[in-house]
């Protein structure tokens, strides 16, 4: 899941995790490109999730998870390791890249995304180094993202507040 800060990545991830899907990580994920006969892998660092008060209103079951104190901007730290079912996987094979667009009040909108547009957006939202040489950090990152997009189905979504509808809508993507 990719999107600018505040797009709802954590809210979407928690909504899907609350419906029984596993959660690999929040905010800190890495992609290791395929090498030889080894497929690409995504791996993450399980940290506590910064959860906005509004997300807790939309997903009231979050109140039951162990949490830290409320910060000044109305966020709580929620221990994602407490999610049920517990996720024990340390890595996952890439399959779908989902870009979050601004929210909308009407209905969830999920649609396929062109691979070139997906690569452009993934690079813009995730590559922080700037160097024109292919063998430099930015060049290697771009090459890995290119392979990730090539090997994945790409979608963009604009979500509405009815989070209880998300698992059913996203189930169609995985089938």
């Amino acid at each position: 899941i990719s999107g600018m800060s505040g797009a709802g990545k954590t809210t979407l991830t928690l909504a899907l995790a609350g419906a029984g899907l596993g959660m690999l990580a929040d905010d800190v994920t890495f992609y290791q490109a395929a090498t030889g006969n080894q497929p690409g892998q995504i791996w993450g660092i399980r940290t506590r999730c910064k959860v906005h008060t509004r997300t807790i209103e939309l997903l009231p079951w979050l109140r039951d998870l162990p949490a830290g104190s409320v910060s000044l901007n109305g966020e709580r730290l929620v221990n994602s390791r407490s999610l049920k079912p517990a996720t024990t996987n340390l890595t996952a094979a890439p399959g779908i890249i989902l870009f979050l667009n601004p929210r909308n009040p009407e209905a969830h909108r999920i649609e396929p995304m062109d691979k070139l547009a997906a690569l452009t957006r993934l690079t813009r939202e995730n590559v922080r180094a700037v160097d024109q040489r292919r063998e430099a950090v930015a060049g290697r990152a771009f090459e890995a993202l290119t392979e990730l997009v090539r090997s994945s189905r790409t979608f963009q979504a604009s979500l509405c507040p009815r989070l209880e509808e998300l698992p059913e809508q996203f189930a169609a993507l995985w089938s």
Side-chain angles (χ1 to χ4, degrees), residues 95-117:
I96 293 175
I97 301 172
L98 178 71
F99 296 93
L100 288 184
N101 292 331
R103 295 178 195 98
N104 73 80
E106 294 92 35
H108 302 303
R109 291 186 207 115
I110 305 167
E111 57 192 37
M113 188 172 186
D114 172 79
K115 297 270 188 178
L116 183 56

Side-chain angles (χ1 to χ4, degrees), residues 53-85:
T53 305
R54 178 75 175 125
T55 298
I56 295 170
E57 292 169 9
L58 293 169
L59 302 170
W61 58 269
L62 288 171
R63 289 186 188 106
D64 298 333
L65 295 180
S69 59
V70 176
S71 69
L72 293 176
N73 58 359
E75 296 174 328
R76 277 180 50 183
L77 291 176
V78 173
N79 185 347
S80 63
R81 291 187 174 122
S82 303
L83 295 172
K84 303 292 184 224

Side-chain angles (χ1 to χ4, degrees), residues 6-94:
K9 297 178 298 289
T10 299
T11 300
L12 172 58
T13 302
L14 290 171
L16 295 174
L21 295 171
M23 180 176 172
L24 185 64
D26 180 58
D27 274 342
V28 184
T29 55
F30 301 91
Y31 176 68
Q32 181 175 339
T35 56
N37 62 350
Q38 296 287 68
Q41 289 288 303
I42 297 171
W43 57 280
I45 298 174
R46 291 294 292 267
T47 59
R48 292 180 287 174
C49 301
K50 287 191 306 185
V51 180
H52 292 275
T53 305
R54 178 75 175 125
T55 298
I56 295 170
E57 292 169 9
L58 293 169
L59 302 170
W61 58 269
L62 288 171
R63 289 186 188 106
D64 298 333
L65 295 180
S69 59
V70 176
S71 69
L72 293 176
N73 58 359
E75 296 174 328
R76 277 180 50 183
L77 291 176
V78 173
N79 185 347
S80 63
R81 291 187 174 122
S82 303
L83 295 172
K84 303 292 184 224
T87 302
T88 57
N89 295 345
L90 299 176
T91 63

